Amino acid sequence: QLQASGGGLVQAGGSLRLSCAASGLTTSDNFMGWFRQAPGKEREFVARIAWRSGIRYYSDSVKGRFTISRDGALNTWYLQMNSLKAEDTAVYYCASSAWAGTVVNDYHSWGQGTLVTVSS
């Protein structure tokens, strides 16, 4: 079970940190990711992190502005979002996968989503 939190309203150029707390992780939870879905658009990949190695991967649209990290002791991973833009406005979802995927179907467990609104 995944529980996302940390969304809110922020001005352009500001920062937010999202959290995803997990319970019941298994050996099929090797990669933890963040996706987002803006109104009227498809859900898109944002970032992922390998749970054991910590290797990170980002979409081009957030590279250099967002940082994904994890805390193994807390079974939690984070998305630090800096230099936010209006186009970052979306519902953000955390998810877990057995492999290093970048599409929705690669991920088998999903959090409920947390809304991030960036005002310009």
Side-chain angles (χ1 to χ4, degrees):
Q1 185 175 4
L2 308 182
Q3 182 74 32
S5 61
L9 174 64
V10 63
Q11 289 188 334
S15 299
L16 277 177
R17 189 178 82 155
L18 307 182
S19 300
C20 185
S23 60
L25 293 178
T26 70
T27 55
S28 66
D29 299 300
N30 297 317
F31 294 87
M32 278 56 184
W34 287 97
F35 284 73
R36 66 186 181 186
Q37 188 165 17
K41 294 188 177 181
E42 294 186 350
R43 195 170 299 188
E44 65 172 359
F45 171 81
V46 174
R48 71 164 186 258
I49 185 167
W51 192 246
R52 294 177 182 80
S53 69
I55 295 175
R56 303 170 172 90
Y57 183 77
Y58 299 93
S59 69
D60 288 342
S61 60
V62 307
K63 198 176 298 181
R65 300 188 298 121
F66 291 10
T67 301
I68 189 171
S69 61
R70 88 265 195 247
D71 185 327
L74 297 178
N75 277 355
T76 299
W77 61 102
Y78 307 93
L79 187 68
Q80 177 67 43
M81 305 184 294
N82 299 329
S83 302
L84 283 161
K85 306 174 182 179
E87 51 263 44
D88 294 319
T89 295
V91 177
Y92 283 71
Y93 297 88
C94 58
S96 65
S97 173
W99 54 81
T102 58
V103 299
V104 169
N105 287 344
D106 289 333
Y107 290 75
H108 58 79
S109 296
W110 291 85
Q112 83 288 3
T114 185
L115 177 62
V116 172
T117 304
V118 183
S119 62
S120 56

